[in-house]
Amino acid sequence: MAKFIKHNCYVGIVGAGSIGVAWAVVFATRGYPVRLYEVATDRILHAKDEFLSKISELKKFGLIENDIDAIAPLLSIDTDLESITDKAIHIQECIPEIKEDKKKLFALLSELTPPDVPIASSTSFLPASTFASDVSHRERCLVIHPGNPPYLLRIAEIVPAPFTSMSVVEKSKQLMIDVQMHPIVLSHETTGFVFNRLQGALLNEAYSLVDDGIVSIEDIDLIVRDALGLRWSVLGPFETVDLNTRGGIKQHAARMGPTYEKIGAERGTNTSWGVELVDKVAAARRAKLPLEKWEERVSWRDRAMMTLIIARRKFLGQD
Amino acid sequence: MAKFIKHNCYVGIVGAGSIGVAWAVVFATRGYPVRLYEVATDRILHAKDEFLSKISELKKFGLIENDIDAIAPLLSIDTDLESITDKAIHIQECIPEIKEDKKKLFALLSELTPPDVPIASSTSFLPASTFASDVSHRERCLVIHPGNPPYLLRIAEIVPAPFTSMSVVEKSKQLMIDVQMHPIVLSHETTGFVFNRLQGALLNEAYSLVDDGIVSIEDIDLIVRDALGLRWSVLGPFETVDLNTRGGIKQHAARMGPTYEKIGAERGTNTSWGVELVDKVAAARRAKLPLEKWEERVSWRDRAMMTLIIARRKFLGQD
């Protein structure tokens, strides 16, 4: 067990709501002691139970290697901000999405944490420049936005503000890799980051389709769950369309691009499917999959989806 | 076997490209004799092999019930259009996406098929009103758009033109249910139908993010595959956000709506997340899931995703 637990250090988490507890699961299951700061009594009582129930469930499904008995003691809950910052190697802020509260908290955390320790916000939509511009050590502040729940969706968007130092970005990236979260480093801040921009684009269209009276709310969920989502959970959107048309993404763009541009234009967007942009995406895809392997990959896609369809039967029957 | 095979009738499919063959798999595996029309010699030779290989693969995964030996003889390939329309109970057109070709073909099919037989196009983006307005029996013409591949993505968008008769829509719907495709009946034609409008919204944003230099092409595929797509393959987009915020869709819209509106506005759209629209979506969700069962459903979501994550390991290791 000595090898599993990272001694003499810990991760500080601020806020024991569902995202705070979920991050505690991510760090503790990879051997990091976690000090979770919370003052609301009901949440303090709830957090430990929630943490234990989540690690038990993950263990039951074989998704964590180490014993529950080794992981459980790694979480401690504290009502004193200084004792969670003292020897922290990383701070993950998980308080409600209120800009003024984050401003005050980041000012405090920036004073309390040792030099060079990243102070990351789990915010879904507030760029660090909106709440950390004026703190004394703003070069340590950034956003690390996970999907929900992070112990299952293993990606983390790392969003540096213009003032975030590259070494803090690099440290955050390494820590994410170490806790088996795939880091997605954005080049710069953007509204909603990438995860929520992609989700938002689809949600905006979904709401508009309901508004237009074209299709029912239930059928939208069904089209995505049983078709688009099923395929995207195997391939992602670019690989999906790369495999949808013989000849790959270039042929797809030639055939479907004008329709997609029109769909966008009907909602007011002017997304370009211009030659240069399509060439760039096609080049990235061809680097991953030469066209001569296209058919083989299509068969792989089908087998991969068949595996998921079989697995889905276990729970979709209970739906 | 007598019960499995539908005698004295067949489905006529026009075009033995990959979608034509895939539809043949859908119908034949549910007992419908299929007459597949094709004139290109190379495709005629290829189609039967492709059909056999797909039904074998499905059988291997346990995704079809009946014996290969019973299914295989159900496909016949014909170079004579009249013999595929003669006693057809349904025609599924699967030729390339060229409007003029579809116009000519639908005029011919409309003359050749018996009364009241639906003539459906598999087109991804051409509404039937663009190619079937002038045919003599246009009330039988419509679009039935499947996902790709249809024998795995079990949804079919049924898109009536303004001139399509309700009885043809109803017949098509019943046939889709019988071949285990979930029918999604659209209220009226719209560019790209629903499946491709949702896919297009996400693709347009993905292309724009690449154009903006925010994130790599590979990372977009990864964020969707490992996070958004994984979740959507369990829940669909409305249920996803309904479960993402305590209090459900109304709370989600209150917290995230302004950000999603802003994301849309940055691309030129003006999707409303107005009170009435959100109330409508919330009412549909609450009819499916009362708020007091919210936590239970969140736990179900987690267990469902754990099941898929375990299943994904089988193929993502080979990625």
Side-chain angles (χ1 to χ4, degrees):
Chain A
M1 215 44 72
K3 266 192 184 164
F4 162 58
I5 296 169
K6 276 88 179 169
H7 291 286
N8 301 322
C9 79
Y10 58 83
V11 169
I13 297 179
V14 185
S18 60
I19 290 296
V21 172
W23 270 120
V25 170
V26 169
F27 289 113
T29 51
R30 294 290 296 162
Y32 286 92
V34 171
R35 294 201 186 169
L36 178 55
Y37 171 81
E38 180 59 68
V39 284
T41 322
D42 57 329
R43 287 211 202 128
I44 293 173
L45 292 170
H46 201 61
K48 193 98 191 182
D49 283 347
E50 212 178 299
F51 174 82
L52 289 173
S53 123
K54 284 186 199 313
I55 60 174
S56 306
E57 196 82 339
L58 288 166
K59 185 73 189 174
K60 212 160 59 188
F61 275 82
L63 283 165
I64 48 178
E65 286 163 32
N66 294 292
D67 289 343
I68 300 295
D69 290 349
I71 298 163
L74 293 179
L75 175 69
S76 61
I77 301 178
D78 215 297
T79 54
D80 174 22
L81 204 54
E82 281 186 53
S83 62
I84 76 132
T85 49
D86 189 34
K87 278 181 187 162
I89 55 148
H90 178 87
I91 302 287
Q92 191 70 33
E93 169 268 308
C94 306
I95 67 168
E97 301 277 30
I98 299 158
K99 204 197 289 183
E100 291 309 312
D101 291 355
K102 288 194 197 279
K103 259 190 182 169
K104 282 179 209 152
L105 179 62
F106 270 72
L108 212 57
L109 289 170
S110 157
E111 295 298 334
L112 291 172
T113 46
D116 302 325
V117 169
I119 311 173
S121 174
S122 306
T123 176
S124 300
F125 63 87
L126 294 167
S129 57
T130 64
F131 56 79
S133 290
D134 302 326
V135 310
S136 50
H137 301 288
R138 62 182 196 171
E139 74 284 355
R140 298 199 258 139
C141 302
L142 78 171
V143 164
I144 303 186
H145 171 243
N148 180 33
Y151 48 83
L152 296 179
L153 312 187
R154 309 296 302 202
I155 60 111
E157 288 186 275
I158 298 180
V159 192
F163 47 73
T164 310
S165 83
M166 281 314 294
S167 73
V168 161
V169 171
E170 191 50 38
K171 255 188 198 175
S172 301
K173 194 178 152 184
Q174 289 310 320
L175 179 65
M176 286 302 111
I177 292 170
D178 197 42
V179 295
Q180 298 183 324
M181 298 289 281
H182 192 102
I184 311 282
V185 182
L186 272 57
S187 66
H188 50 85
E189 294 181 330
T190 179
T191 313
F193 321 132
V194 169
F195 182 96
N196 277 329
R197 285 194 84 91
L198 293 169
Q199 172 160 255
L202 187 134
L203 271 180
N204 280 336
E205 182 59 33
Y207 268 106
S208 293
L209 285 167
V210 171
D211 209 23
D212 295 346
I214 297 276
V215 66
S216 75
I217 291 152
E218 295 76 10
D219 278 350
I220 288 177
D221 270 351
L222 212 125
I223 285 187
V224 175
R225 192 193 70 179
D226 284 359
L228 284 166
L230 177 65
R231 216 163 55 179
W232 282 332
S233 74
V234 171
L235 299 167
F238 286 124
E239 187 170 7
T240 292
V241 294
D242 192 39
L243 296 184
N244 251 14
T245 314
R246 202 171 290 274
I249 208 114
K250 270 197 188 184
Q251 282 306 312
H252 176 267
R255 188 180 297 174
M256 290 298 294
T259 299
Y260 288 132
E261 279 180 347
K262 198 176 161 208
I263 288 171
E266 285 176 9
R267 302 293 187 205
T269 73
N270 55 357
T271 307
S272 139
W273 285 60
V275 178
E276 270 182 54
L277 183 57
V278 170
D279 279 355
K280 191 176 169 183
V281 176
R285 286 298 313 147
R286 293 291 67 79
K288 283 214 123 184
L289 182 79
L291 270 189
E292 59 270 25
K293 299 223 164 178
W294 187 88
E295 297 224 30
E296 198 181 298
R297 187 70 176 170
V298 169
S299 300
W300 174 91
R301 174 201 69 187
D302 280 12
R303 287 194 306 274
M305 284 205 279
M306 287 184 210
T307 309
L308 284 199
I309 288 166
I310 298 292
R312 277 157 44 109
R313 286 194 175 164
K314 283 190 195 164
F315 57 84
L316 288 185
Q318 310 155 23
D319 198 12
Chain B
M1 215 43 76
K3 265 192 186 163
F4 161 58
I5 297 170
K6 276 90 180 169
H7 292 286
N8 301 322
C9 79
Y10 58 83
V11 170
I13 297 179
V14 185
S18 59
I19 290 295
V21 172
W23 269 120
V25 170
V26 168
F27 289 113
T29 51
R30 294 290 296 162
Y32 285 93
V34 172
R35 294 201 187 169
L36 179 56
Y37 170 81
E38 179 60 71
V39 284
T41 322
D42 58 329
R43 289 211 203 129
I44 293 173
L45 291 170
H46 201 61
K48 191 97 190 182
D49 283 349
E50 212 178 298
F51 174 82
L52 288 173
S53 124
K54 284 187 199 311
I55 59 174
S56 305
E57 196 84 338
L58 288 166
K59 185 73 190 174
K60 211 159 62 190
F61 275 83
L63 284 166
I64 47 179
E65 285 163 31
N66 296 290
D67 288 343
I68 300 296
D69 290 348
I71 299 164
L74 292 181
L75 176 68
S76 61
I77 302 179
D78 216 296
T79 54
D80 173 23
L81 204 54
E82 282 186 51
S83 64
I84 77 132
T85 47
D86 189 34
K87 278 182 187 161
I89 55 148
H90 178 89
I91 302 288
Q92 190 70 34
E93 169 269 310
C94 306
I95 67 167
E97 301 277 29
I98 301 160
K99 205 196 291 182
E100 290 309 313
D101 291 354
K102 287 193 198 278
K103 258 189 185 170
K104 282 178 211 154
L105 180 63
F106 269 72
L108 213 54
L109 289 170
S110 156
E111 295 298 334
L112 292 172
T113 45
D116 301 326
V117 169
I119 310 171
S121 174
S122 306
T123 178
S124 300
F125 61 87
L126 293 167
S129 58
T130 65
F131 56 80
S133 290
D134 303 327
V135 309
S136 50
H137 300 288
R138 64 181 196 173
E139 73 284 356
R140 297 198 256 140
C141 303
L142 78 170
V143 165
I144 302 186
H145 172 243
N148 181 32
Y151 48 84
L152 296 178
L153 311 186
R154 310 295 304 203
I155 61 111
E157 290 186 273
I158 298 180
V159 192
F163 46 73
T164 311
S165 82
M166 280 316 293
S167 73
V168 162
V169 171
E170 191 50 38
K171 254 188 198 176
S172 301
K173 194 177 152 187
Q174 289 310 321
L175 180 64
M176 287 301 112
I177 291 170
D178 196 41
V179 295
Q180 298 184 322
M181 299 289 282
H182 192 103
I184 311 282
V185 181
L186 274 57
S187 67
H188 50 83
E189 294 182 330
T190 178
T191 313
F193 321 131
V194 168
F195 182 96
N196 277 329
R197 287 195 83 91
L198 294 168
Q199 173 161 254
L202 187 134
L203 271 179
N204 280 335
E205 182 60 33
Y207 268 105
S208 294
L209 285 166
V210 170
D211 208 25
D212 295 345
I214 297 276
V215 66
S216 75
I217 292 152
E218 295 77 10
D219 278 349
I220 287 177
D221 269 351
L222 212 126
I223 284 187
V224 175
R225 192 193 71 178
D226 285 359
L228 283 167
L230 178 65
R231 216 163 53 177
W232 282 333
S233 73
V234 172
L235 298 168
F238 286 124
E239 186 170 8
T240 292
V241 294
D242 191 40
L243 296 183
N244 250 15
T245 313
R246 201 171 290 273
I249 209 113
K250 269 199 189 182
Q251 283 306 312
H252 176 267
R255 188 181 297 174
M256 290 299 293
T259 299
Y260 288 133
E261 280 181 344
K262 197 175 163 211
I263 288 170
E266 284 176 11
R267 302 293 187 204
T269 73
N270 55 358
T271 308
S272 138
W273 285 60
V275 178
E276 270 182 54
L277 183 57
V278 170
D279 278 355
K280 192 177 168 179
V281 177
R285 286 299 312 147
R286 293 291 67 79
K288 283 213 123 184
L289 182 80
L291 270 188
E292 58 271 25
K293 299 224 164 178
W294 187 87
E295 297 224 30
E296 198 181 299
R297 186 71 177 170
V298 168
S299 300
W300 174 90
R301 173 200 71 189
D302 280 12
R303 287 193 306 274
M305 284 205 280
M306 288 183 209
T307 309
L308 283 198
I309 289 165
I310 296 293
R312 277 156 45 109
R313 286 193 178 164
K314 285 192 192 163
F315 57 84
L316 288 184
Q318 312 155 24
D319 199 13

